[in-house]
Amino acid sequence: MRFGVTSTALGTGFVTAGVLLGAGSATAFAPQIQPDRIGVQLSHEQTVALGSGPIPAIAVMLVPAQRIGAGLHADTELYRDADGGIRATLRQVVMEAAAHPDGTVSVFLNAPGTRGGRVVDVYQQWNS
């Protein structure tokens, strides 16, 4: 159990560092701090860079897919099953937002044991 907790903590730390360092310039970097999680609001350029780079693939190697949540835009074209489950990769979630001229994502690292056990949450934003 200790190994699982340690590897998850290290993995999410690497994911967060990758998002912070690998998603482009920090000019529009907007940290988001909440009681049970921390995150960033990325600019459109940072969202495009995140989706185009290796971070989504590395993230899913470190964090199991069932521990990554996605808040999809109302106009999403990504598939949801009958139970509301999202059938898309992390890269697809980010790239769908990046495909819009003003599309962005917010990425959050959740505190252990919160948010239904999810470790990472990604939220899409764009104007319809």
Side-chain angles (χ1 to χ4, degrees):
M1 183 63 145
R2 177 175 282 175
F3 175 77
V5 171
T6 302
S7 63
T8 299
L10 289 173
T12 55
F14 286 125
V15 170
T16 303
V19 168
L20 299 179
L21 299 174
S25 70
T27 56
F29 181 80
Q32 307 287 315
I33 300 172
Q34 298 178 4
D36 62 345
R37 62 187 182 167
I38 59 170
V40 295
Q41 168 68 46
L42 301 178
S43 69
H44 176 70
E45 293 76 20
Q46 292 167 331
T47 299
V48 170
L50 176 64
S52 301
I55 300 301
I58 293 169
V60 297
M61 284 192 272
L62 299 172
V63 179
Q66 66 270 24
R67 299 287 183 216
I68 300 174
L72 301 179
H73 191 278
D75 293 336
T76 188
E77 294 184 9
L78 297 176
Y79 178 73
R80 287 186 186 204
D81 63 23
D83 297 323
I86 299 164
R87 302 293 181 226
T89 66
L90 180 57
R91 185 177 309 280
Q92 288 172 313
V93 171
V94 174
M95 289 306 294
E96 183 180 43
H100 293 81
D102 61 345
T104 64
V105 294
S106 296
V107 180
F108 287 91
L109 175 62
N110 301 321
T114 63
R115 305 282 172 164
R118 294 186 315 273
V119 176
V120 176
D121 284 327
V122 178
Y123 296 90
Q124 299 175 323
Q125 300 94 29
W126 66 79
N127 293 321
S128 299

